[in-house]
Amino acid sequence: MSEQYTVEQFFGQTLKKENARFSLTDQLIMLAFDDNYVDQSINLMLSIEKYHPYGVSFICASPNLKPENVEAILALKIGVQLNCYDYTPITDPGKWSPCTLYRLFAPWLFDNSIRKILYLDSDMICTGNFQELLDLEVPVMAMCSEISGNVSNTQEKTVRNLLPARLYCNAGVSLFNLDYLREHHTFHEIFTELNNMRQYIVFPDQDFLNVYFKDKITCLNPFYYNFQAYEVYGTKFFRRGLNRCKLIHFSVGKPWLYKSNPVYIRIYLEHSLYPPMIRRIQAVHRKSLLYSPIRIVRHWLSPLKKALSGKK
């Protein structure tokens, strides 16, 4: 019999700490991030706590973090458990970071007493109460379909033929029935299948979940729970989406980068609550305004450059 891979072979836990407010009996939200996304993750957690002041705790999965970041996370006045891991790839993982893999292996990384968990990407902000999503019981997992249904050219070759584009889901919001996944699948199975697919997929977590569990995904409304504003910016659905969404996902146009759409920067700033992140976004917003003339010139030159190059 061939060797059975275990989660411990890949992820050696180096830290597991929780603050006094954390409770496993709360409804649990999972975040995965490294030192580069600590401020964004704290900002997201605080924005969620604003609309869910009771009964919600966060489980964070990270590579080893700087001591000051560990201290900042555990000092939050919301329930947080921080789990740090040393990642030791057994086979070639390509360019995948451990943060992209944590959600796939959550059933085996976390305690078996955790029956379900809601995973959120850190490049999001909460704008309303989504208690109905936290209360939702799903057979296997739930994700939001892409609003536009667009996938990249590379993905088209590898994913669209297996899954219609209109059903392709973004994994930035993923609700997992961990009991089901542990009962019907093993870490060895998921790792092996992921490794077999790695040459065909772009996003190891998102593409894999869409292909491998395509018949078992419950589709959620992206306008409520995973509003990727860039997909409908400039259309009548943009303002409607902002008015009804509970979670905004800045998957494109990161608001902490000054070259991003100033509208996204202002929206993120409006809902930010973490002082270091507020100061950072305010500085980015000022720099973005200075960059606006260059942005306008590039906007008008782009069609001309395409015309001169013969591209449609």
Side-chain angles (χ1 to χ4, degrees), residues 123 228-231 249-255 260-261 264:
D123 56 350
Q228 298 183 83
Y230 83 94
E231 292 194 305
H249 189 183
F250 298 92
S251 51
V252 172
K254 308 298 185 189
S260 297
N261 189 326
Y264 305 156

Side-chain angles (χ1 to χ4, degrees), residues 66-76 82:
K66 296 177 182 177
E68 58 267 30
N69 286 332
V70 172
E71 182 179 350
I73 293 166
L74 295 175
L76 294 171
L82 178 60

